[in-house]
Amino acid sequence: MSELMQGDCLEVMKGISDGSVDLTVTSPPYDNLRIYNGNNDQWGEHVWKGVIEELHRVTTDGGVVVWVVGDATIKGSETGTSFKQALHAMECGFRMHDTMIWAKDAIAFPDKRRYQSSFEFMFVFSKGVPKTFNQICDRKNKSFGRKVTGTGRHRDGTTKKASCYGNNIKAFGSRWNVWDIPTLKGNKKVGHPAMFPLNIAQDHIISWSNEGDTVFDPFMGSGTTGVAAKNLDRNFIGIELDEKYFNIAKERIENTSEKGR
């Protein structure tokens, strides 16, 4: 089931019940890095603080928020807005469960004064201990077939054998928290200036929720999180301010088939 709403997410979220969302996967506007049909002047600290506070309210105990974000560089300095948002989430009661990285295959513009930025943060906030973690194991082990060796070190400097010492190394291990996912190129975008790849939404939904859970995106954009949620048999709630993007998202989600159908 998908519930799609057009409007200001701060106002619309007031109608969502406390503790009713299992997982949020969203990508808020990044400072003023993109122009969203003239809506940029409606974005700022006065908005994202309230959104994060509302996310804490609507998230169930053990629920997770995945906040995909980057920073603008203004007058030679990165804004640090992403860090401010992460710290505010912790002040609201979220745990900083993980600081994940989306490693992209492209850069915006070359800069002769710094190394080229090719990543975005994927902050994973949790309301208490995450109640769900479906580990994706698709990292090919170079040491497949060998035995586990190595030691762990205690705080006092002494060492002990790893708990899995002597076990056979499997062909594939757990994915690490830096995800190499290609960006969407021009001809794969559908009328939105900052679409993120379906795999980002899909893999986080797999990781932090189960079938039948409710997934939320307060900045729905072109509806990528909603498409992934429907593909994976999750319920979805989406909010989008801009009418054009809302209609794009609505059409994409309505034209997506649920898994197995």
Side-chain angles (χ1 to χ4, degrees):
M1 181 185 72
S2 297
E3 183 179 2
L4 310 181
M5 296 170 281
Q6 185 193 348
D8 182 336
C9 65
L10 268 179
E11 292 300 317
V12 178
M13 284 174 73
K14 292 177 182 177
I16 299 176
S17 301
D18 294 2
S20 60
V21 173
D22 298 288
L23 170 65
T24 296
V25 179
T26 194
S27 184
Y30 302 0
D31 294 313
N32 286 313
L33 284 175
R34 296 287 186 274
I35 296 174
Y36 299 97
N37 288 343
N39 293 317
N40 292 56
D41 59 348
Q42 300 182 44
W43 176 251
E45 185 173 319
H46 64 291
V47 179
W48 59 252
K49 278 192 170 181
V51 171
I52 292 171
E53 290 160 13
E54 278 292 282
L55 283 174
H56 188 265
R57 179 185 66 80
V58 303
T59 300
T60 189
D61 290 340
V64 164
V65 172
V66 179
W67 187 267
V68 182
V69 71
D71 292 316
T73 298
I74 299 175
K75 295 181 179 180
S77 175
E78 293 185 357
T79 62
T81 301
S82 59
F83 300 115
K84 295 174 186 176
Q85 293 169 348
L87 292 172
H88 185 64
M90 295 174 73
E91 290 170 357
C92 291
F94 281 114
R95 296 185 180 193
M96 176 67 83
H97 183 68
D98 198 358
T99 302
M100 299 182 65
I101 298 293
W102 169 23
K104 303 190 289 186
D105 64 343
I107 60 173
F109 298 103
D111 188 333
K112 295 181 179 179
R113 295 166 294 180
R114 71 189 78 231
Y115 294 109
Q116 308 309 326
S117 177
S118 61
F119 77 94
E120 292 177 13
F121 294 107
M122 300 188 293
F123 293 117
V124 180
F125 308 130
S126 63
K127 192 171 180 179
V129 178
K131 62 186 177 68
T132 301
F133 180 47
N134 302 310
Q135 203 169 36
I136 298 175
C137 295
D138 60 358
R139 178 182 52 82
K140 193 171 183 179
N141 279 322
K142 295 179 180 178
S143 299
F144 169 55
R146 301 179 188 173
K147 299 286 187 181
V148 175
T149 59
T151 58
R153 188 175 297 276
H154 297 291
R155 292 178 63 185
D156 63 3
T158 60
T159 61
K160 70 171 184 177
K161 289 183 179 180
S163 59
C164 55
Y165 191 93
N167 291 352
N168 292 320
I169 296 176
K170 298 178 180 179
F172 291 91
S174 173
R175 185 185 294 189
W176 294 343
N177 69 351
V178 177
W179 289 3
D180 294 295
I181 297 177
T183 57
L184 289 177
K185 305 305 185 282
N187 62 350
K188 293 185 178 179
K189 295 182 179 180
V190 290
H192 191 278
M195 288 179 64
F196 61 52
L198 183 65
N199 280 359
I200 287 182
Q202 175 179 285
D203 291 358
H204 278 299
I205 291 171
I206 290 170
S207 298
W208 309 109
S209 71
N210 295 312
E211 290 186 5
D213 282 353
T214 297
V215 176
F216 177 45
D217 188 350
F219 305 104
M220 183 168 58
S222 62
T224 300
T225 298
V227 169
K230 192 172 181 181
N231 277 336
L232 295 167
D233 283 346
R234 272 67 164 173
N235 299 313
F236 177 68
I237 301 172
I239 304 172
E240 173 53 42
L241 175 65
D242 186 87
E243 183 179 6
K244 176 184 174 183
Y245 301 149
F246 176 82
N247 289 331
I248 291 171
K250 185 172 184 289
E251 182 177 2
R252 288 184 73 205
I253 293 167
E254 287 179 349
N255 290 335
T256 298
S257 299
E258 294 181 12
K259 186 176 71 174
R261 296 186 183 180

